[in-house]
Amino acid sequence: MALIRLFAWVCLLIILWAEPVYSIPRYVKVRLFEARAGVPRLQLTGGIKIIEPVSRDIAFTGAVYTVEAEGGRVALYAVRKGGRSRTLILRGSRIVMEESGSRGMRIVFSGRSACNYRGIIVVRSATAAGRPSLDVLNEVPVREFVYGIVASELPRDFAVESKKALAVLTLTRLEFLPDQRAIGDSTKSELYTGCGRVRESDRVLVDSVFKERLYYKGRLVLPYYHSTCAGCTSDGDDLFRPDGDDLSYLKAVKCEHCKGSPFYRNKVSVVDRRKVTEIFGGALPVVLAQDGAGRPKSIQVGKQDLSCYQTWLKLGRGLGWSRVPGTRFAIKSTKDKIEIVSSGAGHGVGLCQWGANGLAGLGKSYREILEYYFPGSKIK
Ligand SMILES: [Zn+2]
């Protein structure tokens, strides 16, 4: 008997030793279509099985299926192709769907091409700007989520080592995510367009770094990254202060490796002065000081001090991101026009994606790439 008990304990210890302990959630909850002002209707085009309010297979032949918000409830309709008539299939407080094929659930949101999603989709009714809308949540297995981030964030032809670097950053970011909290699918956190663009090579490279995280002095780092720094990244504290976390470990580094990016050169936009002053409550932002990378470090708007990042967010949301894609911006004012000159794309702190691809092209590994953009950090 004692021998059996000893054997069981040894087996248990072997299992515990062999099984890595992760604190990242097994499933990630992603709120879809975050960047849209409202989602009144979704179109389902395939790979979907309804599991709530009733279990039901959908045959995607001869009809188009739509999910719509209706007076606090959610309804599924079949719309005949080419016809205006539609038939109510089911209605409930929420509709829960799961994938029925190997390619994920195929969903179309107006104005956006079809996206495929893995895991489960939960659709609830909501309101946006006083109108009925849908709240769409994708509960996706964590590995599938990381595959999706790598495929959504980076161009397909980027080098494998630059994609591995991004995968480590995403996995490190997930360590900060409690199980129950949902994150968005836009570049506000990380761009996630589901699994439709994921290739087998993405799965292989993510799996190869799945246990690795980025640390600075023994603590996990908040892994900031952006598209293009256009010459030099910035200190985290310079860009995000006066608000934001302590980012003193995020140091500026020179980067000439992102010259292949379409955002490397200056972008000049001329807009109406009134449009800009409306964004800032009647005032115009005045740059009082720049950091070593040429980004605004101290900005005054009326009597208020704003960080470079806060000012850039207001400009981008108010004017459109194509007019001011990067945080290295300068504002010149004439009587009724404002000229905004910017370079780079994204906030300019941490890893530069185009630079990472450039470094990978020079033969650098993902470890060397991460240690370059996060000086003093270590991968474990
Ligand atoms: Zn760069």
mmCIF file of all heavy atoms in Angstrom, residues 206-224:
data_model
loop_
_atom_site.group_PDB
_atom_site.id
_atom_site.type_symbol
_atom_site.label_atom_id
_atom_site.label_comp_id
_atom_site.label_asym_id
_atom_site.label_seq_id
_atom_site.Cartn_x
_atom_site.Cartn_y
_atom_site.Cartn_z
ATOM 1 N N VAL A 206 4.937 30.889 -33.224
ATOM 2 C CA VAL A 206 4.355 31.242 -31.915
ATOM 3 C C VAL A 206 4.584 30.099 -30.924
ATOM 4 O O VAL A 206 4.993 30.323 -29.778
ATOM 5 C CB VAL A 206 2.853 31.570 -32.038
ATOM 6 C CG1 VAL A 206 2.202 31.665 -30.657
ATOM 7 C CG2 VAL A 206 2.649 32.886 -32.787
ATOM 8 N N ASP A 207 4.346 28.857 -31.374
ATOM 9 C CA ASP A 207 4.547 27.708 -30.477
ATOM 10 C C ASP A 207 5.994 27.648 -29.982
ATOM 11 O O ASP A 207 6.258 27.259 -28.854
ATOM 12 C CB ASP A 207 4.191 26.401 -31.210
ATOM 13 C CG ASP A 207 2.687 26.258 -31.412
ATOM 14 O OD1 ASP A 207 1.932 27.045 -30.805
ATOM 15 O OD2 ASP A 207 2.272 25.372 -32.185
ATOM 16 N N SER A 208 6.950 28.059 -30.824
ATOM 17 C CA SER A 208 8.365 27.950 -30.449
ATOM 18 C C SER A 208 8.758 28.932 -29.333
ATOM 19 O O SER A 208 9.775 28.733 -28.671
ATOM 20 C CB SER A 208 9.260 28.162 -31.679
ATOM 21 O OG SER A 208 9.289 29.531 -32.040
ATOM 22 N N VAL A 209 7.970 29.998 -29.125
ATOM 23 C CA VAL A 209 8.312 30.981 -28.065
ATOM 24 C C VAL A 209 7.209 31.065 -27.007
ATOM 25 O O VAL A 209 7.205 31.995 -26.196
ATOM 26 C CB VAL A 209 8.561 32.393 -28.671
ATOM 27 C CG1 VAL A 209 9.739 32.362 -29.624
ATOM 28 C CG2 VAL A 209 7.316 32.953 -29.364
ATOM 29 N N PHE A 210 6.306 30.108 -27.014
ATOM 30 C CA PHE A 210 5.090 30.232 -26.199
ATOM 31 C C PHE A 210 5.370 30.360 -24.703
ATOM 32 O O PHE A 210 4.581 30.955 -23.966
ATOM 33 C CB PHE A 210 4.158 29.047 -26.459
ATOM 34 C CG PHE A 210 2.761 29.277 -25.972
ATOM 35 C CD1 PHE A 210 1.908 30.136 -26.647
ATOM 36 C CD2 PHE A 210 2.303 28.661 -24.814
ATOM 37 C CE1 PHE A 210 0.630 30.373 -26.190
ATOM 38 C CE2 PHE A 210 1.024 28.889 -24.349
ATOM 39 C CZ PHE A 210 0.178 29.749 -25.038
ATOM 40 N N LYS A 211 6.488 29.814 -24.227
ATOM 41 C CA LYS A 211 6.788 29.870 -22.788
ATOM 42 C C LYS A 211 7.649 31.075 -22.427
ATOM 43 O O LYS A 211 8.033 31.238 -21.273
ATOM 44 C CB LYS A 211 7.510 28.594 -22.359
ATOM 45 C CG LYS A 211 6.680 27.336 -22.519
ATOM 46 C CD LYS A 211 7.513 26.123 -22.182
ATOM 47 C CE LYS A 211 6.755 24.866 -22.532
ATOM 48 N NZ LYS A 211 7.600 23.665 -22.406
ATOM 49 N N GLU A 212 7.990 31.924 -23.385
ATOM 50 C CA GLU A 212 8.957 32.994 -23.123
ATOM 51 C C GLU A 212 8.274 34.340 -22.863
ATOM 52 O O GLU A 212 7.271 34.654 -23.489
ATOM 53 C CB GLU A 212 9.931 33.092 -24.302
ATOM 54 C CG GLU A 212 10.709 31.788 -24.460
ATOM 55 C CD GLU A 212 11.719 31.824 -25.584
ATOM 56 O OE1 GLU A 212 12.007 32.916 -26.101
ATOM 57 O OE2 GLU A 212 12.208 30.745 -25.947
ATOM 58 N N ARG A 213 8.867 35.082 -21.922
ATOM 59 C CA ARG A 213 8.335 36.399 -21.556
ATOM 60 C C ARG A 213 9.497 37.386 -21.464
ATOM 61 O O ARG A 213 10.641 36.988 -21.283
ATOM 62 C CB ARG A 213 7.621 36.354 -20.193
ATOM 63 C CG ARG A 213 6.595 35.247 -20.038
ATOM 64 C CD ARG A 213 5.330 35.517 -20.834
ATOM 65 N NE ARG A 213 4.334 34.496 -20.578
ATOM 66 C CZ ARG A 213 4.152 33.407 -21.343
ATOM 67 N NH1 ARG A 213 4.887 33.224 -22.422
ATOM 68 N NH2 ARG A 213 3.230 32.528 -21.034
ATOM 69 N N LEU A 214 9.184 38.679 -21.515
ATOM 70 C CA LEU A 214 10.221 39.714 -21.435
ATOM 71 C C LEU A 214 10.241 40.327 -20.029
ATOM 72 O O LEU A 214 9.199 40.767 -19.530
ATOM 73 C CB LEU A 214 9.941 40.793 -22.486
ATOM 74 C CG LEU A 214 11.064 41.799 -22.719
ATOM 75 C CD1 LEU A 214 12.305 41.119 -23.296
ATOM 76 C CD2 LEU A 214 10.602 42.910 -23.650
ATOM 77 N N TYR A 215 11.433 40.360 -19.433
ATOM 78 C CA TYR A 215 11.598 40.869 -18.063
ATOM 79 C C TYR A 215 12.601 42.012 -18.047
ATOM 80 O O TYR A 215 13.519 42.048 -18.860
ATOM 81 C CB TYR A 215 12.125 39.762 -17.145
ATOM 82 C CG TYR A 215 11.137 38.672 -16.850
ATOM 83 C CD1 TYR A 215 10.986 37.606 -17.735
ATOM 84 C CD2 TYR A 215 10.375 38.690 -15.686
ATOM 85 C CE1 TYR A 215 10.086 36.593 -17.470
ATOM 86 C CE2 TYR A 215 9.472 37.677 -15.413
ATOM 87 C CZ TYR A 215 9.331 36.632 -16.301
ATOM 88 O OH TYR A 215 8.439 35.629 -16.038
ATOM 89 N N TYR A 216 12.407 42.932 -17.095
ATOM 90 C CA TYR A 216 13.404 43.966 -16.828
ATOM 91 C C TYR A 216 13.650 43.964 -15.325
ATOM 92 O O TYR A 216 12.715 44.149 -14.543
ATOM 93 C CB TYR A 216 12.889 45.335 -17.283
ATOM 94 C CG TYR A 216 13.882 46.455 -17.071
ATOM 95 C CD1 TYR A 216 14.932 46.653 -17.951
ATOM 96 C CD2 TYR A 216 13.774 47.289 -15.963
ATOM 97 C CE1 TYR A 216 15.847 47.664 -17.755
ATOM 98 C CE2 TYR A 216 14.691 48.313 -15.767
ATOM 99 C CZ TYR A 216 15.726 48.488 -16.665
ATOM 100 O OH TYR A 216 16.633 49.491 -16.455
ATOM 101 N N LYS A 217 14.890 43.727 -14.919
ATOM 102 C CA LYS A 217 15.271 43.604 -13.503
ATOM 103 C C LYS A 217 14.320 42.664 -12.765
ATOM 104 O O LYS A 217 13.801 42.991 -11.688
ATOM 105 C CB LYS A 217 15.305 44.981 -12.833
ATOM 106 C CG LYS A 217 16.442 45.852 -13.373
ATOM 107 C CD LYS A 217 16.546 47.165 -12.638
ATOM 108 C CE LYS A 217 17.718 47.972 -13.189
ATOM 109 N NZ LYS A 217 17.778 49.335 -12.643
ATOM 110 N N GLY A 218 14.060 41.515 -13.372
ATOM 111 C CA GLY A 218 13.268 40.478 -12.716
ATOM 112 C C GLY A 218 11.765 40.680 -12.751
ATOM 113 O O GLY A 218 11.017 39.848 -12.261
ATOM 114 N N ARG A 219 11.301 41.790 -13.352
ATOM 115 C CA ARG A 219 9.849 42.022 -13.419
ATOM 116 C C ARG A 219 9.382 42.036 -14.875
ATOM 117 O O ARG A 219 10.100 42.516 -15.756
ATOM 118 C CB ARG A 219 9.489 43.357 -12.751
ATOM 119 C CG ARG A 219 9.787 43.349 -11.255
ATOM 120 C CD ARG A 219 9.467 44.686 -10.643
ATOM 121 N NE ARG A 219 8.035 44.973 -10.690
ATOM 122 C CZ ARG A 219 7.503 46.067 -10.168
ATOM 123 N NH1 ARG A 219 8.255 46.962 -9.586
ATOM 124 N NH2 ARG A 219 6.202 46.262 -10.245
ATOM 125 N N LEU A 220 8.175 41.531 -15.083
ATOM 126 C CA LEU A 220 7.622 41.559 -16.442
ATOM 127 C C LEU A 220 7.491 42.997 -16.917
ATOM 128 O O LEU A 220 7.086 43.875 -16.148
ATOM 129 C CB LEU A 220 6.234 40.916 -16.451
ATOM 130 C CG LEU A 220 6.186 39.396 -16.329
ATOM 131 C CD1 LEU A 220 4.819 38.957 -15.853
ATOM 132 C CD2 LEU A 220 6.518 38.749 -17.668
ATOM 133 N N VAL A 221 7.813 43.257 -18.169
ATOM 134 C CA VAL A 221 7.673 44.617 -18.686
ATOM 135 C C VAL A 221 6.301 44.787 -19.340
ATOM 136 O O VAL A 221 5.701 43.829 -19.815
ATOM 137 C CB VAL A 221 8.764 44.976 -19.728
ATOM 138 C CG1 VAL A 221 10.142 44.744 -19.162
ATOM 139 C CG2 VAL A 221 8.577 44.205 -21.018
ATOM 140 N N LEU A 222 5.819 46.019 -19.329
ATOM 141 C CA LEU A 222 4.638 46.338 -20.139
ATOM 142 C C LEU A 222 5.170 46.544 -21.559
ATOM 143 O O LEU A 222 5.868 47.527 -21.829
ATOM 144 C CB LEU A 222 3.971 47.631 -19.636
ATOM 145 C CG LEU A 222 2.975 47.465 -18.497
ATOM 146 C CD1 LEU A 222 2.658 48.817 -17.895
ATOM 147 C CD2 LEU A 222 1.706 46.803 -18.995
ATOM 148 N N PRO A 223 4.892 45.613 -22.445
ATOM 149 C CA PRO A 223 5.634 45.559 -23.717
ATOM 150 C C PRO A 223 5.058 46.470 -24.806
ATOM 151 O O PRO A 223 4.299 46.035 -25.657
ATOM 152 C CB PRO A 223 5.517 44.087 -24.101
ATOM 153 C CG PRO A 223 4.242 43.636 -23.480
ATOM 154 C CD PRO A 223 3.948 44.503 -22.309
ATOM 155 N N TYR A 224 5.466 47.695 -24.802
ATOM 156 C CA TYR A 224 4.983 48.647 -25.809
ATOM 157 C C TYR A 224 5.634 48.387 -27.165
ATOM 158 O O TYR A 224 6.811 48.051 -27.249
ATOM 159 C CB TYR A 224 5.318 50.075 -25.372
ATOM 160 C CG TYR A 224 4.373 50.596 -24.321
ATOM 161 C CD1 TYR A 224 4.431 50.130 -23.016
ATOM 162 C CD2 TYR A 224 3.418 51.540 -24.628
ATOM 163 C CE1 TYR A 224 3.562 50.589 -22.052
ATOM 164 C CE2 TYR A 224 2.538 52.017 -23.673
ATOM 165 C CZ TYR A 224 2.614 51.536 -22.389
ATOM 166 O OH TYR A 224 1.743 51.987 -21.439
#
